[in-house]
Amino acid sequence: MKKAELNVYRDRLRELRARLRGDVDQLANSALNKTRSETNGDLSSMPIHMADIGSDNFEQEFTLSLMENEEGTLDAIESALERIGTGTYGLCEECGVKIPKARLLAIPYAPFCVKCAEHHENQV
Ligand SMILES: [Zn+2]
């Protein structure tokens, strides 16, 4: 995955984590970082257009999984951020295939592809 692309997911994950923790300062920071990368021109090379993402669906899905298992979601976010650091982000932890972009956009902390997630009923 390209660095610019990873940055998008990392920002999202950090934002989600901040929201889960109710950490307002972190939210503010992530907003600041976004502005900074925009002025750096990072966005022009970005393969994902944030406007294309159905944010309503995203919100809904996020809220649902949040209600199901808040602690688990935080853990999943943490390990997703670790995978970004180790370069294995976006690969299914079970079978190693690339997780489809649409899935990562909806659930950026998803550790499994859809197939494997079905085998892990209680996980994302
Ligand atoms: Zn898999």
Side-chain angles (χ1 to χ4, degrees), residues 26-66:
Q26 226 170 327
L27 258 184
N29 282 337
S30 109
L32 280 177
N33 285 337
K34 227 172 260 171
T35 315
R36 209 174 301 144
S37 67
E38 269 170 15
T39 51
N40 285 344
D42 282 348
L43 283 178
S44 56
S45 58
M46 198 181 291
I48 303 159
H49 298 283
M50 300 305 274
D52 291 345
I53 303 160
S55 66
D56 284 350
N57 287 340
F58 173 68
E59 291 292 329
Q60 205 171 27
E61 195 160 359
F62 175 62
T63 310
L64 282 175
S65 62
L66 190 71

Side-chain angles (χ1 to χ4, degrees), residues 5 23 36 41 45-47 60 62 75 77 83 92 95 119:
E5 205 171 342
D23 187 334
R36 209 174 301 144
S45 58
M46 198 181 291
Q60 205 171 27
F62 175 62
D75 286 348
I77 290 172
R83 290 198 299 278
C92 175
C95 67
H119 297 156

Side-chain angles (χ1 to χ4, degrees), residues 91-99 111-117 119-120:
L91 301 176
C92 175
E93 286 198 331
E94 182 98 352
C95 67
V97 304
K98 280 186 185 172
I99 300 173
F112 304 120
C113 68
V114 181
K115 249 187 192 172
C116 295
H119 297 156
H120 295 258

Side-chain angles (χ1 to χ4, degrees), residues 16 78 104-105:
L16 288 178
E78 289 295 344
L104 285 176
L105 288 172

